[in-house]
Amino acid sequence: MARRELKQDPVLDTTAWLRGLPKAELHLHLEGTVKPETLVELSRRHEASPLTLEDARGLYRYENFLGFLTAFKAVTERLKTPEDYELITYNMIRELAGQGVVHAEVYVSFGIIFYWKKTDVEPYVEAIERGRERGEKDFGTTVLWIVDAVRHFGVEEGARVFRKAAELRKRYPSIVGIGIGGDEARGPADQFRDLYKEARDAGLRLTAHAGESVGPESIWSAINIGAERIGHALAAQHDPELLEILAQKQIPLEINVTSNIKTGCCKAFDEHPVKDYFESGLMVTLNSDDPPMFGSDLLGEYCLAESCYGFTLEQMRELAANAVEASFLDPTRKLALLQKVEQYVGPMPA
Ligand SMILES: [Zn+2]
């Protein structure tokens, strides 16, 4: 593919350049994309004395992991009706498009709906599909869904979630894959081996959060049950043999730098292995996880990679291409997006 030369311009506005770079987001939780403004709107729908914008912003300013969980709970508690899910889907796509994100693969937690809300997921899927279709039409960013089970709710809950995903996939082809999130220590990936095989046989793609809060063994397990992409993979840095396998097999890593710092899984920005991974030839992609809750977004993560880790703009282009390559898009759209990334020169003059 012909690649345009990137001119080194001393007055280049890096943020504008990175905003214009066609980016794909592969690790984003629908429930984690709700901004304070939308939380206020949800609160107005459901509460006699709704949250003010100041209250909502306050919830997103926290000091520790418990504060993050409180914020996440404040959101999920107020996601009550299918219409709420339609609203957050549409708003998410608007936000993504504003950052120059052309495609996103978004985790939606059937686990939360089944387990906490104890209700059928189908009306919720219809609703996020309405939001997706409207959002794609208005803003141009495409979205595929990855149905996420909460691993520490157990294998039986996982089976319900994945079988529902397989069933709904027949009607909604935008449901493209499955994953496991939640507490790695209480829900080892090995337990999900048979379910992953079953999901694969049903045509679903496989991902897993692994090596975020526990050691490299969790990543080994995820690979061994067939995960095609690894969410976080922070702990791989402690296992040279694993790093070799990840490089050799080019298993895409969904890296979430700011998330790892804010949850305390990584102590400091200069201790994060993102640049080492990249330089060791691993298939690195940048992602934002639960952006407003971590005070970041995908554009912010790209800016951080440039300013904090010294990625050059050509390397940023490579990261963007990696994300498209690692996506579950069909080959035609993948190729079209890869061409856009390769030929990108910079933002249009205002
Ligand atoms: Zn995640």
PDB file of all heavy atoms in Angstrom, residues 29-66:
ATOM      1  N   HIS A  29     -16.111  -0.039  27.458  1.00  0.00           N
ATOM      2  CA  HIS A  29     -17.330  -0.610  28.046  1.00  0.00           C
ATOM      3  C   HIS A  29     -18.473   0.384  27.898  1.00  0.00           C
ATOM      4  O   HIS A  29     -18.350   1.522  28.346  1.00  0.00           O
ATOM      5  CB  HIS A  29     -17.105  -0.922  29.523  1.00  0.00           C
ATOM      6  CG  HIS A  29     -16.047  -1.959  29.754  1.00  0.00           C
ATOM      7  ND1 HIS A  29     -16.336  -3.297  29.863  1.00  0.00           N
ATOM      8  CD2 HIS A  29     -14.699  -1.856  29.842  1.00  0.00           C
ATOM      9  CE1 HIS A  29     -15.214  -3.973  30.040  1.00  0.00           C
ATOM     10  NE2 HIS A  29     -14.200  -3.125  30.026  1.00  0.00           N
ATOM     11  N   LEU A  30     -19.561  -0.077  27.291  1.00  0.00           N
ATOM     12  CA  LEU A  30     -20.702   0.815  27.063  1.00  0.00           C
ATOM     13  C   LEU A  30     -21.092   1.562  28.344  1.00  0.00           C
ATOM     14  O   LEU A  30     -21.244   2.781  28.336  1.00  0.00           O
ATOM     15  CB  LEU A  30     -21.893   0.006  26.525  1.00  0.00           C
ATOM     16  CG  LEU A  30     -23.200   0.777  26.340  1.00  0.00           C
ATOM     17  CD1 LEU A  30     -23.051   1.880  25.302  1.00  0.00           C
ATOM     18  CD2 LEU A  30     -24.346  -0.173  25.948  1.00  0.00           C
ATOM     19  N   GLU A  31     -21.224   0.816  29.435  1.00  0.00           N
ATOM     20  CA  GLU A  31     -21.670   1.450  30.692  1.00  0.00           C
ATOM     21  C   GLU A  31     -20.619   2.428  31.207  1.00  0.00           C
ATOM     22  O   GLU A  31     -20.944   3.309  32.006  1.00  0.00           O
ATOM     23  CB  GLU A  31     -21.937   0.386  31.771  1.00  0.00           C
ATOM     24  CG  GLU A  31     -23.004  -0.638  31.398  1.00  0.00           C
ATOM     25  CD  GLU A  31     -22.477  -1.801  30.550  1.00  0.00           C
ATOM     26  OE1 GLU A  31     -21.276  -1.786  30.169  1.00  0.00           O
ATOM     27  OE2 GLU A  31     -23.256  -2.718  30.250  1.00  0.00           O
ATOM     28  N   GLY A  32     -19.385   2.250  30.771  1.00  0.00           N
ATOM     29  CA  GLY A  32     -18.302   3.126  31.217  1.00  0.00           C
ATOM     30  C   GLY A  32     -18.102   4.346  30.337  1.00  0.00           C
ATOM     31  O   GLY A  32     -17.140   5.084  30.514  1.00  0.00           O
ATOM     32  N   THR A  33     -18.995   4.547  29.367  1.00  0.00           N
ATOM     33  CA  THR A  33     -18.834   5.720  28.488  1.00  0.00           C
ATOM     34  C   THR A  33     -19.757   6.869  28.888  1.00  0.00           C
ATOM     35  O   THR A  33     -19.749   7.910  28.240  1.00  0.00           O
ATOM     36  CB  THR A  33     -19.167   5.374  27.016  1.00  0.00           C
ATOM     37  OG1 THR A  33     -20.557   5.030  26.918  1.00  0.00           O
ATOM     38  CG2 THR A  33     -18.309   4.244  26.481  1.00  0.00           C
ATOM     39  N   VAL A  34     -20.542   6.661  29.949  1.00  0.00           N
ATOM     40  CA  VAL A  34     -21.546   7.659  30.328  1.00  0.00           C
ATOM     41  C   VAL A  34     -20.879   8.879  30.968  1.00  0.00           C
ATOM     42  O   VAL A  34     -20.220   8.768  32.008  1.00  0.00           O
ATOM     43  CB  VAL A  34     -22.570   7.031  31.307  1.00  0.00           C
ATOM     44  CG1 VAL A  34     -23.548   8.084  31.798  1.00  0.00           C
ATOM     45  CG2 VAL A  34     -23.308   5.887  30.623  1.00  0.00           C
ATOM     46  N   LYS A  35     -21.030  10.029  30.343  1.00  0.00           N
ATOM     47  CA  LYS A  35     -20.417  11.256  30.862  1.00  0.00           C
ATOM     48  C   LYS A  35     -21.332  11.880  31.918  1.00  0.00           C
ATOM     49  O   LYS A  35     -22.537  11.572  31.959  1.00  0.00           O
ATOM     50  CB  LYS A  35     -20.200  12.252  29.719  1.00  0.00           C
ATOM     51  CG  LYS A  35     -19.213  11.728  28.682  1.00  0.00           C
ATOM     52  CD  LYS A  35     -18.888  12.774  27.669  1.00  0.00           C
ATOM     53  CE  LYS A  35     -17.839  13.735  28.205  1.00  0.00           C
ATOM     54  NZ  LYS A  35     -17.317  14.634  27.169  1.00  0.00           N
ATOM     55  N   PRO A  36     -20.800  12.766  32.751  1.00  0.00           N
ATOM     56  CA  PRO A  36     -21.634  13.374  33.802  1.00  0.00           C
ATOM     57  C   PRO A  36     -22.921  14.001  33.245  1.00  0.00           C
ATOM     58  O   PRO A  36     -23.986  13.863  33.853  1.00  0.00           O
ATOM     59  CB  PRO A  36     -20.720  14.446  34.394  1.00  0.00           C
ATOM     60  CG  PRO A  36     -19.334  13.961  34.136  1.00  0.00           C
ATOM     61  CD  PRO A  36     -19.392  13.191  32.849  1.00  0.00           C
ATOM     62  N   GLU A  37     -22.838  14.626  32.077  1.00  0.00           N
ATOM     63  CA  GLU A  37     -24.025  15.260  31.489  1.00  0.00           C
ATOM     64  C   GLU A  37     -25.123  14.222  31.225  1.00  0.00           C
ATOM     65  O   GLU A  37     -26.302  14.480  31.462  1.00  0.00           O
ATOM     66  CB  GLU A  37     -23.669  15.958  30.161  1.00  0.00           C
ATOM     67  CG  GLU A  37     -22.774  17.186  30.296  1.00  0.00           C
ATOM     68  CD  GLU A  37     -21.306  16.854  30.528  1.00  0.00           C
ATOM     69  OE1 GLU A  37     -20.927  15.650  30.497  1.00  0.00           O
ATOM     70  OE2 GLU A  37     -20.514  17.803  30.758  1.00  0.00           O
ATOM     71  N   THR A  38     -24.720  13.063  30.717  1.00  0.00           N
ATOM     72  CA  THR A  38     -25.702  12.009  30.433  1.00  0.00           C
ATOM     73  C   THR A  38     -26.217  11.389  31.728  1.00  0.00           C
ATOM     74  O   THR A  38     -27.397  11.042  31.836  1.00  0.00           O
ATOM     75  CB  THR A  38     -25.062  10.915  29.546  1.00  0.00           C
ATOM     76  OG1 THR A  38     -24.478  11.550  28.412  1.00  0.00           O
ATOM     77  CG2 THR A  38     -26.099   9.910  29.061  1.00  0.00           C
ATOM     78  N   LEU A  39     -25.342  11.280  32.719  1.00  0.00           N
ATOM     79  CA  LEU A  39     -25.770  10.749  34.020  1.00  0.00           C
ATOM     80  C   LEU A  39     -26.870  11.637  34.604  1.00  0.00           C
ATOM     81  O   LEU A  39     -27.858  11.147  35.166  1.00  0.00           O
ATOM     82  CB  LEU A  39     -24.564  10.656  34.965  1.00  0.00           C
ATOM     83  CG  LEU A  39     -24.832  10.043  36.338  1.00  0.00           C
ATOM     84  CD1 LEU A  39     -25.391   8.631  36.219  1.00  0.00           C
ATOM     85  CD2 LEU A  39     -23.561  10.027  37.186  1.00  0.00           C
ATOM     86  N   VAL A  40     -26.723  12.960  34.450  1.00  0.00           N
ATOM     87  CA  VAL A  40     -27.744  13.898  34.923  1.00  0.00           C
ATOM     88  C   VAL A  40     -29.057  13.642  34.183  1.00  0.00           C
ATOM     89  O   VAL A  40     -30.131  13.606  34.792  1.00  0.00           O
ATOM     90  CB  VAL A  40     -27.273  15.362  34.728  1.00  0.00           C
ATOM     91  CG1 VAL A  40     -28.418  16.346  34.934  1.00  0.00           C
ATOM     92  CG2 VAL A  40     -26.125  15.674  35.669  1.00  0.00           C
ATOM     93  N   GLU A  41     -28.957  13.428  32.878  1.00  0.00           N
ATOM     94  CA  GLU A  41     -30.171  13.174  32.098  1.00  0.00           C
ATOM     95  C   GLU A  41     -30.857  11.880  32.560  1.00  0.00           C
ATOM     96  O   GLU A  41     -32.088  11.830  32.710  1.00  0.00           O
ATOM     97  CB  GLU A  41     -29.816  13.104  30.612  1.00  0.00           C
ATOM     98  CG  GLU A  41     -31.039  13.170  29.719  1.00  0.00           C
ATOM     99  CD  GLU A  41     -30.675  13.312  28.240  1.00  0.00           C
ATOM    100  OE1 GLU A  41     -29.556  13.767  27.927  1.00  0.00           O
ATOM    101  OE2 GLU A  41     -31.536  12.953  27.417  1.00  0.00           O
ATOM    102  N   LEU A  42     -30.069  10.845  32.813  1.00  0.00           N
ATOM    103  CA  LEU A  42     -30.638   9.582  33.310  1.00  0.00           C
ATOM    104  C   LEU A  42     -31.289   9.794  34.678  1.00  0.00           C
ATOM    105  O   LEU A  42     -32.378   9.286  34.956  1.00  0.00           O
ATOM    106  CB  LEU A  42     -29.535   8.519  33.434  1.00  0.00           C
ATOM    107  CG  LEU A  42     -28.916   8.016  32.136  1.00  0.00           C
ATOM    108  CD1 LEU A  42     -27.688   7.150  32.435  1.00  0.00           C
ATOM    109  CD2 LEU A  42     -29.928   7.212  31.315  1.00  0.00           C
ATOM    110  N   SER A  43     -30.618  10.571  35.502  1.00  0.00           N
ATOM    111  CA  SER A  43     -31.120  10.844  36.844  1.00  0.00           C
ATOM    112  C   SER A  43     -32.454  11.595  36.780  1.00  0.00           C
ATOM    113  O   SER A  43     -33.387  11.295  37.523  1.00  0.00           O
ATOM    114  CB  SER A  43     -30.056  11.641  37.604  1.00  0.00           C
ATOM    115  OG  SER A  43     -30.492  11.935  38.890  1.00  0.00           O
ATOM    116  N   ARG A  44     -32.567  12.533  35.862  1.00  0.00           N
ATOM    117  CA  ARG A  44     -33.825  13.283  35.679  1.00  0.00           C
ATOM    118  C   ARG A  44     -34.957  12.355  35.251  1.00  0.00           C
ATOM    119  O   ARG A  44     -36.101  12.563  35.615  1.00  0.00           O
ATOM    120  CB  ARG A  44     -33.650  14.363  34.598  1.00  0.00           C
ATOM    121  CG  ARG A  44     -32.912  15.566  35.103  1.00  0.00           C
ATOM    122  CD  ARG A  44     -33.251  16.820  34.265  1.00  0.00           C
ATOM    123  NE  ARG A  44     -32.263  17.847  34.551  1.00  0.00           N
ATOM    124  CZ  ARG A  44     -31.337  18.279  33.702  1.00  0.00           C
ATOM    125  NH1 ARG A  44     -31.304  17.806  32.463  1.00  0.00           N
ATOM    126  NH2 ARG A  44     -30.465  19.189  34.061  1.00  0.00           N
ATOM    127  N   ARG A  45     -34.597  11.336  34.476  1.00  0.00           N
ATOM    128  CA  ARG A  45     -35.629  10.397  34.021  1.00  0.00           C
ATOM    129  C   ARG A  45     -36.199   9.583  35.169  1.00  0.00           C
ATOM    130  O   ARG A  45     -37.336   9.152  35.136  1.00  0.00           O
ATOM    131  CB  ARG A  45     -35.035   9.411  32.998  1.00  0.00           C
ATOM    132  CG  ARG A  45     -34.772  10.008  31.640  1.00  0.00           C
ATOM    133  CD  ARG A  45     -34.205   8.935  30.689  1.00  0.00           C
ATOM    134  NE  ARG A  45     -34.029   9.495  29.354  1.00  0.00           N
ATOM    135  CZ  ARG A  45     -33.692   8.787  28.289  1.00  0.00           C
ATOM    136  NH1 ARG A  45     -33.475   7.482  28.392  1.00  0.00           N
ATOM    137  NH2 ARG A  45     -33.556   9.362  27.111  1.00  0.00           N
ATOM    138  N   HIS A  46     -35.374   9.321  36.188  1.00  0.00           N
ATOM    139  CA  HIS A  46     -35.767   8.303  37.165  1.00  0.00           C
ATOM    140  C   HIS A  46     -35.893   8.778  38.604  1.00  0.00           C
ATOM    141  O   HIS A  46     -36.359   8.033  39.452  1.00  0.00           O
ATOM    142  CB  HIS A  46     -34.765   7.140  37.120  1.00  0.00           C
ATOM    143  CG  HIS A  46     -34.670   6.500  35.769  1.00  0.00           C
ATOM    144  ND1 HIS A  46     -35.753   5.958  35.133  1.00  0.00           N
ATOM    145  CD2 HIS A  46     -33.614   6.342  34.922  1.00  0.00           C
ATOM    146  CE1 HIS A  46     -35.375   5.473  33.953  1.00  0.00           C
ATOM    147  NE2 HIS A  46     -34.086   5.712  33.799  1.00  0.00           N
ATOM    148  N   GLU A  47     -35.422   9.996  38.905  1.00  0.00           N
ATOM    149  CA  GLU A  47     -35.384  10.358  40.321  1.00  0.00           C
ATOM    150  C   GLU A  47     -36.178  11.618  40.625  1.00  0.00           C
ATOM    151  O   GLU A  47     -36.160  12.571  39.839  1.00  0.00           O
ATOM    152  CB  GLU A  47     -33.932  10.556  40.762  1.00  0.00           C
ATOM    153  CG  GLU A  47     -33.227   9.236  40.942  1.00  0.00           C
ATOM    154  CD  GLU A  47     -31.717   9.390  40.966  1.00  0.00           C
ATOM    155  OE1 GLU A  47     -31.139   9.728  39.918  1.00  0.00           O
ATOM    156  OE2 GLU A  47     -31.140   9.208  42.027  1.00  0.00           O
ATOM    157  N   ALA A  48     -36.833  11.601  41.797  1.00  0.00           N
ATOM    158  CA  ALA A  48     -37.629  12.758  42.213  1.00  0.00           C
ATOM    159  C   ALA A  48     -36.720  13.966  42.446  1.00  0.00           C
ATOM    160  O   ALA A  48     -37.038  15.087  42.047  1.00  0.00           O
ATOM    161  CB  ALA A  48     -38.393  12.423  43.477  1.00  0.00           C
ATOM    162  N   SER A  49     -35.580  13.724  43.103  1.00  0.00           N
ATOM    163  CA  SER A  49     -34.628  14.834  43.232  1.00  0.00           C
ATOM    164  C   SER A  49     -33.337  14.448  42.506  1.00  0.00           C
ATOM    165  O   SER A  49     -32.447  13.826  43.084  1.00  0.00           O
ATOM    166  CB  SER A  49     -34.356  15.188  44.694  1.00  0.00           C
ATOM    167  OG  SER A  49     -34.154  14.014  45.424  1.00  0.00           O
ATOM    168  N   PRO A  50     -33.297  14.805  41.224  1.00  0.00           N
ATOM    169  CA  PRO A  50     -32.180  14.342  40.387  1.00  0.00           C
ATOM    170  C   PRO A  50     -30.837  14.966  40.745  1.00  0.00           C
ATOM    171  O   PRO A  50     -30.782  16.019  41.392  1.00  0.00           O
ATOM    172  CB  PRO A  50     -32.604  14.760  38.977  1.00  0.00           C
ATOM    173  CG  PRO A  50     -33.691  15.749  39.133  1.00  0.00           C
ATOM    174  CD  PRO A  50     -34.280  15.605  40.494  1.00  0.00           C
ATOM    175  N   LEU A  51     -29.791  14.299  40.306  1.00  0.00           N
ATOM    176  CA  LEU A  51     -28.423  14.799  40.490  1.00  0.00           C
ATOM    177  C   LEU A  51     -28.247  16.110  39.728  1.00  0.00           C
ATOM    178  O   LEU A  51     -28.800  16.271  38.635  1.00  0.00           O
ATOM    179  CB  LEU A  51     -27.414  13.810  39.895  1.00  0.00           C
ATOM    180  CG  LEU A  51     -27.226  12.441  40.532  1.00  0.00           C
ATOM    181  CD1 LEU A  51     -26.308  11.601  39.641  1.00  0.00           C
ATOM    182  CD2 LEU A  51     -26.630  12.580  41.915  1.00  0.00           C
ATOM    183  N   THR A  52     -27.479  17.020  40.302  1.00  0.00           N
ATOM    184  CA  THR A  52     -27.074  18.201  39.523  1.00  0.00           C
ATOM    185  C   THR A  52     -25.804  17.813  38.750  1.00  0.00           C
ATOM    186  O   THR A  52     -25.178  16.786  39.047  1.00  0.00           O
ATOM    187  CB  THR A  52     -26.720  19.382  40.440  1.00  0.00           C
ATOM    188  OG1 THR A  52     -25.574  19.000  41.219  1.00  0.00           O
ATOM    189  CG2 THR A  52     -27.886  19.736  41.359  1.00  0.00           C
ATOM    190  N   LEU A  53     -25.436  18.664  37.802  1.00  0.00           N
ATOM    191  CA  LEU A  53     -24.223  18.392  37.037  1.00  0.00           C
ATOM    192  C   LEU A  53     -23.010  18.386  37.985  1.00  0.00           C
ATOM    193  O   LEU A  53     -22.095  17.578  37.827  1.00  0.00           O
ATOM    194  CB  LEU A  53     -24.055  19.445  35.926  1.00  0.00           C
ATOM    195  CG  LEU A  53     -22.903  19.208  34.965  1.00  0.00           C
ATOM    196  CD1 LEU A  53     -22.974  17.827  34.300  1.00  0.00           C
ATOM    197  CD2 LEU A  53     -22.869  20.293  33.882  1.00  0.00           C
ATOM    198  N   GLU A  54     -23.060  19.258  38.991  1.00  0.00           N
ATOM    199  CA  GLU A  54     -21.964  19.321  39.966  1.00  0.00           C
ATOM    200  C   GLU A  54     -21.859  18.009  40.744  1.00  0.00           C
ATOM    201  O   GLU A  54     -20.765  17.465  40.933  1.00  0.00           O
ATOM    202  CB  GLU A  54     -22.179  20.510  40.929  1.00  0.00           C
ATOM    203  CG  GLU A  54     -20.993  21.410  41.127  1.00  0.00           C
ATOM    204  CD  GLU A  54     -19.742  21.085  40.313  1.00  0.00           C
ATOM    205  OE1 GLU A  54     -19.645  21.481  39.122  1.00  0.00           O
ATOM    206  OE2 GLU A  54     -18.858  20.408  40.881  1.00  0.00           O
ATOM    207  N   ASP A  55     -23.039  17.462  41.176  1.00  0.00           N
ATOM    208  CA  ASP A  55     -23.039  16.160  41.878  1.00  0.00           C
ATOM    209  C   ASP A  55     -22.400  15.092  40.999  1.00  0.00           C
ATOM    210  O   ASP A  55     -21.577  14.297  41.440  1.00  0.00           O
ATOM    211  CB  ASP A  55     -24.483  15.661  42.136  1.00  0.00           C
ATOM    212  CG  ASP A  55     -25.262  16.570  43.065  1.00  0.00           C
ATOM    213  OD1 ASP A  55     -24.626  17.272  43.862  1.00  0.00           O
ATOM    214  OD2 ASP A  55     -26.521  16.567  42.974  1.00  0.00           O
ATOM    215  N   ALA A  56     -22.850  15.088  39.728  1.00  0.00           N
ATOM    216  CA  ALA A  56     -22.392  14.045  38.810  1.00  0.00           C
ATOM    217  C   ALA A  56     -20.891  14.165  38.591  1.00  0.00           C
ATOM    218  O   ALA A  56     -20.165  13.162  38.626  1.00  0.00           O
ATOM    219  CB  ALA A  56     -23.138  14.142  37.489  1.00  0.00           C
ATOM    220  N   ARG A  57     -20.433  15.395  38.415  1.00  0.00           N
ATOM    221  CA  ARG A  57     -18.980  15.570  38.220  1.00  0.00           C
ATOM    222  C   ARG A  57     -18.215  15.129  39.457  1.00  0.00           C
ATOM    223  O   ARG A  57     -17.136  14.548  39.354  1.00  0.00           O
ATOM    224  CB  ARG A  57     -18.673  17.038  37.894  1.00  0.00           C
ATOM    225  CG  ARG A  57     -19.094  17.396  36.482  1.00  0.00           C
ATOM    226  CD  ARG A  57     -18.502  18.725  36.048  1.00  0.00           C
ATOM    227  NE  ARG A  57     -18.849  19.007  34.668  1.00  0.00           N
ATOM    228  CZ  ARG A  57     -19.348  20.156  34.232  1.00  0.00           C
ATOM    229  NH1 ARG A  57     -19.536  21.161  35.070  1.00  0.00           N
ATOM    230  NH2 ARG A  57     -19.634  20.328  32.967  1.00  0.00           N
ATOM    231  N   GLY A  58     -18.801  15.408  40.618  1.00  0.00           N
ATOM    232  CA  GLY A  58     -18.176  15.009  41.889  1.00  0.00           C
ATOM    233  C   GLY A  58     -17.973  13.504  41.968  1.00  0.00           C
ATOM    234  O   GLY A  58     -16.945  13.028  42.451  1.00  0.00           O
ATOM    235  N   LEU A  59     -18.964  12.755  41.469  1.00  0.00           N
ATOM    236  CA  LEU A  59     -18.866  11.289  41.501  1.00  0.00           C
ATOM    237  C   LEU A  59     -17.689  10.778  40.677  1.00  0.00           C
ATOM    238  O   LEU A  59     -17.148   9.713  40.944  1.00  0.00           O
ATOM    239  CB  LEU A  59     -20.154  10.672  40.938  1.00  0.00           C
ATOM    240  CG  LEU A  59     -21.339  10.564  41.892  1.00  0.00           C
ATOM    241  CD1 LEU A  59     -22.616  10.290  41.117  1.00  0.00           C
ATOM    242  CD2 LEU A  59     -21.088   9.458  42.921  1.00  0.00           C
ATOM    243  N   TYR A  60     -17.331  11.539  39.641  1.00  0.00           N
ATOM    244  CA  TYR A  60     -16.241  11.102  38.758  1.00  0.00           C
ATOM    245  C   TYR A  60     -14.865  11.556  39.257  1.00  0.00           C
ATOM    246  O   TYR A  60     -13.864  11.261  38.643  1.00  0.00           O
ATOM    247  CB  TYR A  60     -16.455  11.652  37.345  1.00  0.00           C
ATOM    248  CG  TYR A  60     -17.561  10.941  36.579  1.00  0.00           C
ATOM    249  CD1 TYR A  60     -18.886  11.051  36.969  1.00  0.00           C
ATOM    250  CD2 TYR A  60     -17.279  10.168  35.460  1.00  0.00           C
ATOM    251  CE1 TYR A  60     -19.888  10.416  36.278  1.00  0.00           C
ATOM    252  CE2 TYR A  60     -18.280   9.534  34.755  1.00  0.00           C
ATOM    253  CZ  TYR A  60     -19.586   9.659  35.163  1.00  0.00           C
ATOM    254  OH  TYR A  60     -20.589   9.025  34.472  1.00  0.00           O
ATOM    255  N   ARG A  61     -14.881  12.322  40.369  1.00  0.00           N
ATOM    256  CA  ARG A  61     -13.585  12.711  40.937  1.00  0.00           C
ATOM    257  C   ARG A  61     -13.352  11.854  42.165  1.00  0.00           C
ATOM    258  O   ARG A  61     -13.990  12.037  43.189  1.00  0.00           O
ATOM    259  CB  ARG A  61     -13.623  14.195  41.359  1.00  0.00           C
ATOM    260  CG  ARG A  61     -13.378  15.178  40.235  1.00  0.00           C
ATOM    261  CD  ARG A  61     -13.123  16.577  40.778  1.00  0.00           C
ATOM    262  NE  ARG A  61     -14.292  17.124  41.454  1.00  0.00           N
ATOM    263  CZ  ARG A  61     -15.221  17.882  40.859  1.00  0.00           C
ATOM    264  NH1 ARG A  61     -15.091  18.222  39.598  1.00  0.00           N
ATOM    265  NH2 ARG A  61     -16.262  18.331  41.539  1.00  0.00           N
ATOM    266  N   TYR A  62     -12.486  10.872  42.014  1.00  0.00           N
ATOM    267  CA  TYR A  62     -12.270   9.979  43.153  1.00  0.00           C
ATOM    268  C   TYR A  62     -10.791   9.726  43.329  1.00  0.00           C
ATOM    269  O   TYR A  62      -9.974  10.021  42.454  1.00  0.00           O
ATOM    270  CB  TYR A  62     -13.037   8.670  42.944  1.00  0.00           C
ATOM    271  CG  TYR A  62     -12.742   8.041  41.603  1.00  0.00           C
ATOM    272  CD1 TYR A  62     -11.599   7.291  41.416  1.00  0.00           C
ATOM    273  CD2 TYR A  62     -13.586   8.252  40.513  1.00  0.00           C
ATOM    274  CE1 TYR A  62     -11.294   6.753  40.189  1.00  0.00           C
ATOM    275  CE2 TYR A  62     -13.290   7.712  39.280  1.00  0.00           C
ATOM    276  CZ  TYR A  62     -12.156   6.966  39.131  1.00  0.00           C
ATOM    277  OH  TYR A  62     -11.850   6.455  37.905  1.00  0.00           O
ATOM    278  N   GLU A  63     -10.467   9.179  44.499  1.00  0.00           N
ATOM    279  CA  GLU A  63      -9.065   9.026  44.871  1.00  0.00           C
ATOM    280  C   GLU A  63      -8.559   7.592  44.720  1.00  0.00           C
ATOM    281  O   GLU A  63      -7.371   7.369  44.618  1.00  0.00           O
ATOM    282  CB  GLU A  63      -8.873   9.444  46.350  1.00  0.00           C
ATOM    283  CG  GLU A  63      -9.231  10.902  46.645  1.00  0.00           C
ATOM    284  CD  GLU A  63      -8.307  11.867  45.913  1.00  0.00           C
ATOM    285  OE1 GLU A  63      -7.101  11.551  45.816  1.00  0.00           O
ATOM    286  OE2 GLU A  63      -8.784  12.917  45.438  1.00  0.00           O
ATOM    287  N   ASN A  64      -9.449   6.636  44.764  1.00  0.00           N
ATOM    288  CA  ASN A  64      -8.982   5.243  44.794  1.00  0.00           C
ATOM    289  C   ASN A  64      -9.959   4.322  44.065  1.00  0.00           C
ATOM    290  O   ASN A  64     -10.969   4.766  43.533  1.00  0.00           O
ATOM    291  CB  ASN A  64      -8.795   4.784  46.243  1.00  0.00           C
ATOM    292  CG  ASN A  64     -10.046   5.081  47.064  1.00  0.00           C
ATOM    293  OD1 ASN A  64     -11.168   5.035  46.549  1.00  0.00           O
ATOM    294  ND2 ASN A  64      -9.855   5.408  48.322  1.00  0.00           N
ATOM    295  N   PHE A  65      -9.636   3.030  44.089  1.00  0.00           N
ATOM    296  CA  PHE A  65     -10.431   2.062  43.334  1.00  0.00           C
ATOM    297  C   PHE A  65     -11.882   2.014  43.825  1.00  0.00           C
ATOM    298  O   PHE A  65     -12.815   1.869  43.037  1.00  0.00           O
ATOM    299  CB  PHE A  65      -9.788   0.669  43.434  1.00  0.00           C
ATOM    300  CG  PHE A  65     -10.375  -0.307  42.459  1.00  0.00           C
ATOM    301  CD1 PHE A  65     -10.223  -0.114  41.089  1.00  0.00           C
ATOM    302  CD2 PHE A  65     -11.094  -1.401  42.890  1.00  0.00           C
ATOM    303  CE1 PHE A  65     -10.784  -1.005  40.163  1.00  0.00           C
ATOM    304  CE2 PHE A  65     -11.662  -2.300  41.976  1.00  0.00           C
ATOM    305  CZ  PHE A  65     -11.494  -2.093  40.619  1.00  0.00           C
ATOM    306  N   LEU A  66     -12.062   2.189  45.138  1.00  0.00           N
ATOM    307  CA  LEU A  66     -13.410   2.190  45.705  1.00  0.00           C
ATOM    308  C   LEU A  66     -14.229   3.345  45.104  1.00  0.00           C
ATOM    309  O   LEU A  66     -15.415   3.186  44.797  1.00  0.00           O
ATOM    310  CB  LEU A  66     -13.316   2.335  47.231  1.00  0.00           C
ATOM    311  CG  LEU A  66     -14.559   1.876  47.987  1.00  0.00           C
ATOM    312  CD1 LEU A  66     -14.761   0.374  47.842  1.00  0.00           C
ATOM    313  CD2 LEU A  66     -14.440   2.244  49.467  1.00  0.00           C
TER     314      LEU A  66
END
